[in-house]
Amino acid sequence: MIALDSVDVSYGNIQVIWDFDFEVSEDAGVVSLVGPNGAGKSTLLRVMSGLHPVDSGTVTAWGEDVSTLDSSEIVKKGFVHVSEERNLFGEMTVRENLEMGAYTERDNLEETMQEVYEVFPILEERSDQLARSMSGGQQQMLAIGRGLMARPKILALDEPSEGLAPQITDRVFEKIEDISEDITVLLVEQHVNRALKMADRAYLIENGRIVKEDTGTRLLESDHVKDAYL
């Protein structure tokens, strides 16, 4: 489990997360974070993955305080963050990008590679293709696949549908649902309707605070969400 306890976060003099309490367990299915742009959703993922410091409060992962740990150490503990930017190595092949994702799991590389290929067959078909020459949807699948190569207990996905055509978005969400059968998926997504429909647990975040939490279905039915986001 990864948890935030009374966490405050700022960018310079601007505070963006306020006294935040939150936790995600290994068997949670899909946990969705929804809310307006600038609410602090992506910042929360960066904090949990060690990419942004906290001003106060603690971040714990599987019982250990990881507030000051390097992001690579947090990956080793089981929390993997796939950022909105994807951060692929464009001049490397698909296979080479996947291998880079397995830097903490070298002993199981080939076995894990086959598991990723089962989820995303297109990656096996394009294994020798340069990442930069792939379509946006294929690059997103590669970014998620690379995250899976670390064998995460919790996989955090930041805006996986960003810039994708509707048909490709549908395919990506289908794959996310498949992944969530075995791995907890922590999802930040602007498609509020889709994010809540697939969520076992969901949180509405506004101005750096949780203002509502419930099952995805119940949150989707709330007047606040309907009026503001649908």
Side-chain angles (χ1 to χ4, degrees):
M1 179 179 73
I2 191 162
L4 280 66
D5 182 19
S6 301
V7 164
D8 292 326
V9 181
S10 300
Y11 289 97
N13 294 324
I14 302 174
Q15 187 166 346
V16 293
I17 302 294
W18 305 76
D19 195 26
F20 209 92
D21 294 322
F22 178 67
E23 64 180 45
V24 184
S25 64
E26 292 178 38
D27 56 355
V30 176
V31 178
S32 291
L33 305 180
V34 298
N37 288 332
K41 306 184 299 298
S42 294
T43 297
L44 286 170
L45 299 192
R46 290 177 58 80
V47 166
M48 284 186 273
S49 58
L51 295 173
H52 193 90
V54 299
D55 297 337
S56 61
T58 57
V59 182
T60 57
W62 292 274
E64 180 182 347
D65 186 346
V66 297
S67 305
T68 60
L69 284 188
D70 183 82
S71 58
S72 63
E73 294 301 315
I74 296 176
V75 169
K76 290 178 183 177
K77 293 187 178 302
F79 185 84
V80 173
H81 174 199
V82 179
S83 71
E84 182 180 354
E85 295 80 11
R86 299 172 188 155
N87 294 322
L88 298 174
F89 299 96
E91 298 303 319
M92 291 184 179
T93 66
V94 167
R95 181 181 173 86
E96 288 169 340
N97 269 272
L98 292 175
E99 289 174 347
M100 292 294 288
Y103 70 94
T104 62
E105 292 285 341
R106 305 306 292 183
D107 293 342
N108 302 306
L109 192 150
E110 291 302 327
E111 178 185 347
T112 309
M113 186 86 68
Q114 289 306 311
E115 293 172 357
V116 170
Y117 285 159
E118 288 176 11
V119 177
F120 298 112
I122 189 66
L123 299 183
E124 184 170 22
E125 295 172 21
R126 304 293 179 90
S127 61
D128 294 325
Q129 184 174 338
L130 294 182
R132 63 173 172 77
S133 66
M134 302 176 79
S135 68
Q138 291 165 358
Q139 288 187 7
Q140 185 61 69
M141 292 177 192
L142 177 55
I144 296 173
R146 188 179 62 184
L148 291 173
M149 290 296 295
R151 290 183 173 268
K153 299 171 185 173
I154 299 174
L155 180 67
L157 303 177
D158 192 359
E159 303 288 0
S161 71
E162 179 69 24
L164 302 184
Q167 184 177 7
I168 303 302
T169 296
D170 290 342
R171 289 176 59 194
V172 169
F173 276 123
E174 288 172 4
K175 296 299 185 182
I176 291 171
E177 288 194 275
D178 290 343
I179 292 167
S180 70
E181 294 179 6
D182 301 306
I183 300 169
T184 294
V185 175
L186 178 56
L187 177 66
V188 167
E189 177 55 54
Q190 283 299 314
H191 285 82
V192 172
N193 191 53
R194 294 294 298 268
L196 293 182
K197 278 184 176 179
M198 68 191 302
D200 297 283
R201 194 73 187 169
Y203 299 81
L204 175 60
I205 298 173
E206 296 177 349
N207 299 316
R209 297 178 173 90
I210 295 174
V211 295
K212 284 184 177 294
E213 62 176 283
D214 210 323
T215 65
T217 301
R218 288 175 184 160
L219 202 57
L220 187 60
E221 294 171 349
S222 77
D223 291 337
H224 183 101
V225 171
K226 287 180 180 178
D227 293 342
Y229 302 103
L230 301 178

